[in-house]
Amino acid sequence: QVQFVESGGGLVQPGGSLRLSCVASASIFSIYGMGWFRQAPGKQREWVAGISSGGSPTYSSSVKGRFTISRDNAKYTMYLQMNSVKPEDTAVYYCNRNPPFSAWWGQGTQVTVSS
């Protein structure tokens, strides 16, 4: 089983920046496409961004131009740089394989965008 630990969330003002990290428990991480997902209260979990094993990124239309996904396979780590955040970015953010494995969801990290 691969486990993920998300971190870096917190309270940030609209227009501010935040960087999330996702650390995997095993080297098998390096062969998977990975993604960031988020879930706001009362809403379904949605896909935010993805990155191939080789580092090619894709983004949802809601975050494209504001967020940057990256990975460091040597460190078993994936990142999400969040810039120009908006209140609608408020959610619990999760990392997982892309497409996700249901058994691999972690605790997530809370991001709250508010003034």
Side-chain angles (χ1 to χ4, degrees):
Q1 179 181 341
V2 178
Q3 299 180 56
F4 302 110
V5 178
E6 301 96 340
S7 63
L11 177 64
V12 61
Q13 295 184 349
S17 297
L18 208 60
R19 190 180 78 156
L20 308 184
S21 297
C22 166
V23 180
S25 63
S27 63
I28 197 71
F29 165 87
S30 65
I31 72 169
Y32 292 136
M34 293 289 296
W36 284 98
F37 306 79
R38 67 187 181 187
Q39 187 167 27
K43 291 189 173 183
Q44 295 182 323
R45 183 185 293 114
E46 66 173 335
W47 174 80
V48 175
I51 187 165
S52 72
S53 61
S56 297
T58 53
Y59 301 94
S60 69
S61 60
S62 63
V63 308
K64 190 173 185 179
R66 299 187 298 118
F67 293 4
T68 302
I69 188 171
S70 62
R71 67 192 296 166
D72 185 339
N73 287 340
K75 296 181 178 179
Y76 309 161
T77 302
M78 180 175 64
Y79 305 96
L80 186 69
Q81 178 66 47
M82 306 169 62
N83 296 330
S84 302
V85 297
K86 303 175 180 179
E88 51 262 45
D89 295 321
T90 296
V92 178
Y93 283 71
Y94 303 89
C95 63
N96 206 322
R97 181 178 172 181
N98 184 37
F101 284 176
S102 61
W104 291 5
W105 294 115
Q107 295 283 358
T109 186
Q110 176 72 51
V111 172
T112 302
V113 182
S114 176
S115 59

